[in-house]
Amino acid sequence: MRKTYKIEVDCPTCAQKLEDCAGATAGVEKATVNLMTQKLAIQAEKEEQDRIIREIADKMKKIDDDVVIYF
């Protein structure tokens, strides 16, 4: 299942960090960040979506705390 989240990302480097972090998270089949629309799309099992987005948000706080994910 694909789910999209609103994000706040300032620059292409931060967007790439978020996309890499999301893509490396267990259970994520595919992750893409669109800097222009400020959205993160995650392809994963429906039952895992809540756990995955929380894990990505926690990881991103350690990598770049300027990135905000709304969920």
Side-chain angles (χ1 to χ4, degrees), residues 1-7 9 15 18-25 27-35 37-44 49 52-53 56 69-70:
M1 176 182 172
R2 182 172 185 230
K3 189 163 183 182
T4 304
Y5 299 91
K6 178 83 176 122
I7 59 173
V9 180
L18 175 56
E19 187 170 288
D20 292 344
C21 176
T25 301
V28 175
E29 296 169 22
K30 184 177 180 183
T32 56
V33 171
N34 187 316
L35 184 60
T37 61
Q38 296 285 296
K39 293 188 179 178
L40 165 66
I42 298 173
Q43 181 78 30
Q49 289 283 351
I52 288 170
I53 197 61
I56 293 168
I69 305 171
Y70 297 99

